[in-house]
Amino acid sequence: MSTQSPRQLRLIIETDDFDEAVHFYRDVLGMPEQPAFASGGDDRVAILHAGIATIEVASPVHARNIDEVEGAPPADGVVLRLALEVDDTATAVALTEDAGATTLAPPVTTPFRTLNARVQGPAGWQVTFFQELESLEERVQHEGFRTDTDREPQ
């Protein structure tokens, strides 16, 4: 194990339609922008704050299970997904629809105690909105909530 944990996680989304992506994440989803260096012209960057960052490592079987639970179409091949915790999933979906996003899966209550919905974001990224319905302390009391090291080997 590393003796020094990362202080920040950045997810870099490379896109040909920079303006569309910035509008979606900054203006529609309300992610505040911080100053960032770029040399000008077509060299453009926006660093947007999304609150707490986590990395969710999922097996292909788990990813397909999430697709099924959310009622969303699976993506072809290996993909990175973006999931954003929001206060109100239905409102987040409505705001993105108003901005032209396509809803891939409407809000659904999941077995993992969240209200999830998925939209098609810019640059080919699927964006899942999730609203926690219980605290972590409440969720760990339910079957299936464990760390990977605490799970029974198959």
Side-chain angles (χ1 to χ4, degrees), residues 3-154:
T3 58
Q4 184 173 344
S5 296
R7 294 174 40 95
Q8 183 180 150
L9 169 68
R10 284 204 184 156
L11 173 66
I12 292 89
I13 300 174
E14 181 180 337
T15 178
D16 291 328
D17 196 338
F18 182 85
D19 292 324
E20 176 191 35
V22 169
H23 172 70
F24 182 79
Y25 295 108
R26 183 190 62 203
D27 305 331
V28 175
L29 297 183
M31 295 176 165
E33 184 176 0
Q34 78 176 40
F37 176 81
S39 61
D42 287 337
D43 178 6
R44 299 174 69 192
V45 63
I47 298 174
L48 308 172
H49 288 269
I52 296 171
T54 61
I55 294 176
E56 181 175 325
V57 180
S59 70
V61 171
H62 184 76
R64 296 298 76 78
N65 285 342
I66 299 298
D67 292 336
E68 188 175 318
V69 165
E70 291 180 359
D76 294 329
V78 177
V79 297
L80 296 175
R81 298 175 185 222
L82 185 60
L84 301 172
E85 181 179 0
V86 295
D87 291 331
D88 185 325
T89 296
T91 298
V93 170
L95 288 170
T96 60
E97 286 177 335
D98 290 347
T102 301
T103 298
L104 300 173
V108 61
T109 301
T110 70
F112 24 96
R113 311 294 200 255
T114 58
L115 184 64
N116 287 25
R118 197 179 305 178
V119 302
Q120 183 62 57
W125 285 72
Q126 293 182 3
V127 179
T128 294
F129 297 114
F130 68 98
Q131 175 184 342
E132 297 287 3
L133 300 177
E134 294 180 344
S135 70
L136 182 57
E137 293 77 20
E138 292 169 314
R139 289 192 314 265
V140 298
Q141 302 305 313
H142 299 289
E143 184 67 31
F145 284 90
R146 305 286 177 268
T147 63
D148 189 62
T149 55
D150 293 337
R151 293 190 201 288
E152 294 292 322
Q154 300 260 340

